[in-house]
């Protein structure tokens, strides 16, 4: 397993990480808002309201778990966000090459 | 306290009760769908998505608790639905006068 738990983050890296993290979150939530708006606008059957609620509950749970801003988790978080398309690897420019290589390797798994 | 627990329901009354119950549920959910559609269409801030989810969770919980189709509960359920405007007392026509009087009395409390 790739050793990432004890990585040090410089002040500059923390700023870059925070910006990248927030940018990905913003993108994912905005996409979700669009999807919810579309689903809501198409509800005609009563039970579809509860399906929309179930959908939102599941997505919220998943998103809450995924956006874990602990320095011991960030490498994994960034790898997943890149894999899912919410973050581009270029947006981690300024992190040290070792961190970026680990993120890139994990994002291909 | 008004004694309603052991009331007997005839087959005709059961049909009338079921129709009234379903009609009120239909109205309340359709109103909620409209409100959710309107709230969803107005989301611009990220956190408002989770406020919409909280709102739906609370309404679902309340509605699940309220629409309790047990014959021991129906008098109370109908009284509340009339009080809230989801049912009109005329829609209980065909239930025996004693039941209707109890519903009417409770709905004014």
């Amino acid at each position: 397993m790739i050793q990432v738990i004890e990585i040090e983050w410089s002040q500059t890296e923390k700023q870059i990480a925070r910006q990248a993290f927030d940018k990905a979150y913003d993108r994912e939530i905005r996409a979700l808002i669009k999807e919810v708006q579309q689903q809501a606008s198409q509800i005609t059957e009563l039970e579809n309201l509860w399906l929309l609620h179930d959908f939102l509950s599941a997505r919220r749970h998943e998103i809450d778990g995924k956006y874990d801003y602990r320095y011991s988790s960030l490498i994994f978080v960034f790898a997943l966000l890149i894999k899912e398309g919410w973050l581009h690897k270029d947006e981690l420019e300024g992190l040290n090459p070792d961190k970026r290589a680990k993120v890139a390797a994990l994002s291909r798994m």
Side-chain angles (χ1 to χ4, degrees), chain A:
Chain A
M1 189 185 160
I2 296 176
Q3 184 59 256
V4 290
I5 307 301
E6 298 296 337
I7 286 175
E8 295 277 322
W9 295 74
S10 71
Q11 274 309 112
T12 307
E13 285 184 313
K14 286 179 179 179
Q15 283 176 16
I16 291 163
R18 187 76 239 183
Q19 282 175 11
F21 185 94
D22 290 346
K23 201 177 281 185
Y25 182 79
D26 190 280
R27 284 178 188 141
E28 184 161 8
I29 301 297
R30 288 192 190 284
L32 180 55
I33 288 171
K34 275 195 185 169
E35 189 164 351
V36 166
Q37 287 172 332
Q38 198 190 1
Q39 282 192 30
S41 72
Q42 291 170 345
I43 294 176
T44 51
E45 301 301 317
L46 301 189
E47 60 266 32
N48 290 358
L49 180 63
W50 306 137
L51 291 179
L52 174 63
H53 179 250
D54 290 340
F55 168 77
L56 252 181
S57 300
R59 296 291 284 119
R60 186 178 194 170
H61 184 72
E62 184 225 324
I63 287 169
D64 278 352
K66 187 164 69 183
Y67 286 86
D68 175 8
Y69 197 83
R70 285 176 299 172
Y71 293 110
S72 56
S73 306
L74 273 183
I75 296 288
F76 295 105
V77 174
F78 286 146
L80 183 58
L81 292 174
I82 288 170
K83 194 173 185 169
E84 294 181 344
W86 302 115
L87 192 67
H88 192 277
K89 61 184 170 59
D90 294 348
E91 293 174 310
L92 297 178
E93 208 173 292
L95 300 190
N96 84 35
D98 184 50
K99 287 192 187 68
R100 296 188 67 188
K102 282 170 177 165
V103 168
L106 283 163
S107 73
R108 287 190 296 268
M109 281 179 191

